[in-house]
Amino acid sequence: MFGLFRKRSKSTIVVATLNARLQPMDRGELEDAFDAFMSEKKHGMRVVGGGTLQAASGEIAKCDIEIEVDNPTDARLTLLTEVLESMLAPAGSILQIPDQRRSINFGRQHGLAVYVNGAELPASVYEECDINHVVAEFSRLLDGAGVVASNWQGPRDTALYIYGRDFETMLSHLKPFIESYPLLERCRIERIA
């Protein structure tokens, strides 16, 4: 009977705002991987929600992952940010701890966006080239230096979001292909993290 009055550990909800342009489905894959790791290691953390912030254009700006943390000590919060950094947490990410009225800056990866021109190339280029080939070739060329993590289809272009250790290294791996593949003519490259 006295077992009914066991002391419950304190838990809180924290929000990891990732400086990552991830479609909801791609964010969901990250959440699932985080949950699986935390469950396997019995770290007392679980994803309880998430969301995607879009710019006025409809393009993804960043995303949130809501995480319930049992016994939210500094060490546990550091573990949380380290696990996210090992998965995908670009520079400029923030962990918000509302119960403690504070936030922690974190993130290590750099971000590179390639905006493929979808409106101003000759029609033959769109007929003969394939964006799926671009994604496959980027993945092959990055060879561990980065990963194509998500994409966005806009009214005039398609963005491919790539994250990795170093912007310049990722760009150097991709540049020869970008300069030679007709679909990538007139593409725009931006640093996004």
Side-chain angles (χ1 to χ4, degrees):
M1 176 143 185
F2 294 104
L4 296 175
F5 298 104
R6 276 184 262 157
K7 185 177 178 182
R8 297 186 67 196
S9 67
K10 182 183 176 207
S11 68
T12 191
I13 304 290
V14 300
V15 179
T17 300
L18 301 179
N19 186 25
R21 298 180 185 186
L22 299 177
Q23 292 280 0
M25 188 169 84
D26 299 319
R27 187 193 75 238
E29 289 178 12
L30 179 62
E31 292 168 349
D32 291 346
F34 179 87
D35 265 350
F37 177 83
M38 291 300 181
S39 176
E40 178 185 326
K41 300 293 184 184
K42 298 182 180 9
H43 284 306
M45 298 182 216
R46 64 208 82 30
V47 173
V48 293
T52 302
L53 177 66
Q54 292 180 293
S57 66
E59 184 175 7
I60 297 160
K62 55 184 137 184
C63 60
D64 287 341
I65 301 176
E66 297 173 9
I67 303 165
E68 184 176 27
V69 181
D70 298 337
N71 190 22
T73 63
D74 285 349
R76 293 180 76 92
L77 296 174
T78 298
L79 172 68
L80 187 155
T81 60
E82 288 173 350
V83 169
L84 286 173
E85 285 175 336
S86 74
M87 294 177 170
L88 178 61
S93 297
I94 301 171
L95 182 66
Q96 300 164 26
I97 308 111
D99 287 0
Q100 298 176 9
R101 294 184 184 171
R102 68 181 178 121
S103 59
I104 299 169
N105 296 321
F106 72 105
R108 293 184 183 156
Q109 290 91 5
H110 292 191
L112 183 155
V114 177
Y115 292 86
V116 180
N117 189 311
E120 300 171 343
L121 300 177
S124 61
V125 170
Y126 299 116
E127 292 167 7
E128 296 167 10
C129 296
D130 184 357
I131 192 71
N132 294 311
H133 174 68
V134 173
V135 172
E137 196 61 10
F138 278 7
S139 296
R140 184 185 72 76
L141 292 169
L142 287 166
D143 190 32
V147 62
V148 180
S150 197
N151 63 76
W152 173 73
Q153 177 82 38
R156 300 193 53 82
D157 51 18
T158 298
L160 302 175
Y161 304 123
I162 302 161
Y163 296 95
R165 294 182 305 270
D166 180 71
F167 178 87
E168 295 300 332
T169 301
M170 292 186 295
L171 185 57
S172 71
H173 282 251
L174 301 177
K175 198 161 188 161
F177 179 65
I178 289 171
E179 292 173 348
S180 67
Y181 194 62
L183 186 61
L184 298 174
E185 184 180 336
R186 301 178 79 178
C187 72
R188 188 173 85 249
I189 297 169
E190 287 185 18
R191 183 185 301 259
I192 56 173

